[in-house]
Amino acid sequence: MRVHVLGAGIIGLACAVELLDRGHRVTVVDPAPGSGASRAAAGMLAPAGEAWHGEPEAGDLGVRSAALWPAYAARLGVPLHRTGTLLVGHDAGDAQLVARQVELLSGLGVDATELGPRDLRDHEPALGRVVAGALLAHDHAVDPRAVVSALLRRVELVPEPPADRPEVTVWATGSTLPPPYDALVRGVRGEVVRARCDDPPRHVLRGWVRGDSVYVVPRPDGEVVIGASMEEHAGPPVVTLGGVERLLVAARALVPSLDGAVLLEALARDRPATADHLPLVGPVDADTFLAAGHHRHGVLLAPLTARLLADAVEGGCVEGAVDPRRFDLPGAHPDAAEPHVAAAERTRA
Ligand code: GLY
């Protein structure tokens, strides 16, 4: 099939490469590839650290996609940071948040080894004051910019939609879907700070400092990504002094040596969030598909999304939890109810 993928973030690119690998003719359209949410993403492959109460389906998708990442990263030639994640609480109130997360994970059947302050510091000498924590041994990290670069090398990319008419269009434009699908996603602002230091923590750190949520994600070259605020807002995602201050105060409480780190960049992007915080992966019309709305999990879910999207384009069944048709789709084409029929017709044509 001739496919146009609109959007060259990690999701659009992963979908495009999967479709190419399956023999389809794919063009990716984006005037500014990799400049959306993927640019700010810390790259946590963290189904445990990023699990949320009341979101079991997202947890299940995360665990399945995390299992794909080692082979996926190897195929792209991008290293995985595999030292696990330490969940940490700075004070007694934060310790309660750690305990709640561990309880949530044990209900989901996910490993979390609780550690006291001394064990935490044995694991991670860079830690400052922490009173409670847990090792999430299977939560890893990857550099999303390296992944985007590797994927970009494999696709044909153009800045504007080509004149030829594709058989299938995939919208992978994050939080800016076209009407009538724009109402399915809202932007949830996240601010991150990138810095470089001589003695970064060995583990990904995820936790709370005086109630503020924060993570510190080290890269092998000494760069650290400190994130991330989460804010429902209108208007463009801008970096605010208050947001950056809260991140830095929390990160430096967890890792005091960050005080001497060199500031590289502060940036803000919108996470594309749906009403149920599950992504949109599947058809909305006979020849129109969405791969968007991944909220906090775009990097983690990229390999699984690529498979699910390609299966759907080829007329396979669409997974209910991510099927865009679970929402009321204003103006959707009636064929959207029978995508396998449309796929069969495309294949015959
Ligand atoms: N997954 C990290 C974030 O959304 O901030």
Side-chain angles (χ1 to χ4, degrees), residues 44 50 215 228 271 296:
M44 297 155 76
E50 291 282 88
Y215 50 76
R271 298 180 184 87
R296 294 183 66 96

Side-chain angles (χ1 to χ4, degrees), residues 27 37 60 65 79 82 110 154 172 178 208 210 220 237-238 250 266-267 273 283 319:
T27 303
D60 172 60
S65 201
R82 302 189 69 150
V110 176
R154 286 165 167 73
W208 294 270
R210 291 179 282 273
V238 291
L267 70 170
E319 195 154 317

Side-chain angles (χ1 to χ4, degrees), residues 76-112:
L76 294 177
V78 173
L80 281 192
H81 188 75
R82 302 189 69 150
T83 51
T85 293
L86 286 177
L87 193 65
V88 289
H90 174 73
D91 66 17
D94 303 320
Q96 289 183 19
L97 295 168
V98 171
R100 289 289 290 270
Q101 188 76 8
V102 170
E103 194 182 302
L104 167 70
L105 293 175
S106 94
L108 295 172
V110 176
D111 282 352

Side-chain angles (χ1 to χ4, degrees), residues 41-44 50 190 192 206 215 227-230 271 295-298:
M44 297 155 76
E50 291 282 88
V192 298
R206 173 86 177 89
Y215 50 76
S229 60
M230 198 147 122
R271 298 180 184 87
H295 195 218
R296 294 183 66 96
H297 311 297

